[in-house]
């Protein structure tokens, strides 16, 4: 599966990124993939390659590019629970810098770059995210509704908060079909209800599903949260969503 590293011009600099795509010389639908909090690393590159194998051009930007190329902090090959809190403590200030304005400036650049690639077919893209990337994906789909046909988030975080610009409060223009695959410990039941009401008010097709036996991070095989059954359920939900909403991959 062909892959490459890229640099995406943004209003705030140059974002390094990874891309994977079919090697058949044809043009394929584009997918923008936002990483989890741990960022761009082999685990996410592997997911991009697997998705590309189903007929998509997958672009994975480095979330923390303002602080240098990936990785901005050294990560162990396996992110076990004994090291996870210390890593999150170091990354949290970088995550908190992602204001809505910054997120949308980046998203505009990423979607424009994706659409301009010669391997990418004309038409809207899909946006996918893991952990904090789920919130970025939902914000992107709502803000750029004419450029996004599908949005998916897996073990997403920060979808329903008390902030005036919480993602669930910004969905009025959303037109993309949505799937959110929650772990059993991602959101309180009342927060899930609030999110579902916000999604229902848009009139889009959507599903929010709690994956049985899963914990936050269940798709990531380089963490202790990994659950292979839940990972497969994620593919079983994601691939039909992309097939329904994008040109044939």
């Amino acid at each position: 599966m062909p892959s490459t590293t890229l640099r995406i011009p943004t209003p705030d600099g140059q974002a390094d990124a990874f891309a994977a795509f079919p090697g058949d010389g044809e043009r394929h639908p584009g997918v923008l993939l936002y990483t989890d909090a741990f960022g761009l690393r082999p685990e996410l590159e592997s997911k991009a390659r697997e998705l590309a194998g189903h007929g998509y051009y997958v672009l994975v930007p480095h979330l923390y590019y303002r602080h240098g190329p990936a990785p901005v902090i050294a990560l162990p090959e396996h992110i076990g629970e004994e090291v996870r809190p210390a890593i999150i403590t170091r990354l949290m200030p970088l995550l908190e810098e992602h204001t809505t304005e910054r997120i949308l400036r980046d998203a505009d650049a990423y979607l424009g770059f994706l659409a301009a690639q010669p391997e990418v077919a004309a038409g809207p893209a899909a946006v996918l995210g893991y952990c904090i990337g789920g919130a970025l994906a939902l914000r992107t789909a709502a803000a750029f509704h004419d450029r996004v046909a599908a949005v998916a988030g897996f073990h997403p975080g920060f979808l329903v908060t008390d902030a005036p610009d919480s993602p669930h409060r910004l969905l009025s223009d959303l037109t993309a079909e949505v799937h959110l695959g929650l772990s059993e410990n991602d959101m309180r039941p009342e927060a899930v209800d609030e999110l579902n009401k916000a999604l229902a008010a848009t009139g889009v097709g959507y599903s929010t599903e709690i994956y049985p036996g899963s914990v936050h991070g269940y798709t990531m095989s380089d963490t202790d949260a990994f659950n292979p059954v839940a990972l497969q359920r994620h593919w079983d939900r994601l691939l039909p969503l992309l097939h329904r909403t994008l040109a044939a991959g």
Side-chain angles (χ1 to χ4, degrees):
M1 190 62 56
S3 61
T4 187
T5 54
L6 303 163
R7 294 185 69 81
I8 304 173
T10 80
D12 297 333
Q14 296 271 333
D16 49 312
F18 176 86
F21 48 91
D24 56 7
E26 301 295 324
R27 301 178 74 187
H28 295 273
V31 176
L32 173 59
L33 191 161
Y34 287 114
T35 70
D36 62 359
F38 297 122
L40 182 56
R41 61 192 192 282
E43 174 72 15
L44 276 299
E45 294 174 3
S46 175
K47 282 183 168 49
R49 288 191 182 95
E50 184 162 356
L51 187 52
H54 292 276
Y56 301 97
Y57 183 107
V58 186
L59 180 67
V60 191
H62 170 43
L63 293 182
Y64 309 121
Y65 72 86
R66 293 174 179 86
H67 296 272
V72 292
I73 69 169
L75 295 172
E77 186 174 334
H78 184 84
I79 304 169
E81 286 304 310
E82 71 282 2
V83 298
R84 178 187 175 96
I87 294 171
I88 291 295
T89 296
R90 293 181 65 188
L91 290 174
M92 190 56 66
L94 308 187
L95 281 173
E96 291 172 347
E97 292 179 2
H98 281 74
T99 62
T100 299
E101 292 75 19
R102 279 191 172 188
I103 292 165
L104 298 186
R105 285 202 305 272
D106 286 347
D108 187 27
Y110 299 155
L111 289 172
F113 185 90
L114 181 62
Q117 299 313 295
E119 301 90 354
V120 175
V127 186
L128 160 67
Y130 300 90
C131 179
I132 185 61
L136 302 187
L138 198 59
R139 289 184 185 278
T140 298
F144 301 101
H145 54 91
D146 56 334
R147 298 157 69 182
V148 178
V151 58
F154 298 95
H155 43 89
F158 305 102
L159 298 183
V160 176
T161 74
D162 294 332
D165 63 349
S166 172
H168 80 289
R169 303 184 197 277
L170 303 177
L171 301 181
S172 59
D173 292 328
L174 184 71
T175 58
E177 185 177 344
V178 179
H179 175 73
L180 300 172
L182 307 175
S183 78
E184 291 188 341
N185 65 342
D186 277 328
M187 298 175 68
R188 303 183 316 276
E190 54 271 27
V192 176
D193 289 343
E194 193 168 353
L195 177 61
N196 283 336
K197 288 176 183 176
L199 287 167
T202 69
V204 303
Y206 75 93
S207 59
T208 57
E209 181 180 359
I210 297 174
Y211 289 13
S214 64
V215 298
H216 183 74
Y218 61 78
T219 64
M220 299 297 163
S221 66
D222 63 350
T223 74
D224 287 350
F226 180 57
N227 181 319
V229 174
L231 173 66
Q232 185 57 52
R233 185 183 291 262
H234 135 284
W235 290 119
D236 291 345
R237 300 297 186 267
L238 177 60
L239 294 175
L241 170 67
L242 299 182
H243 183 74
R244 285 193 303 272
T245 56
L246 302 182

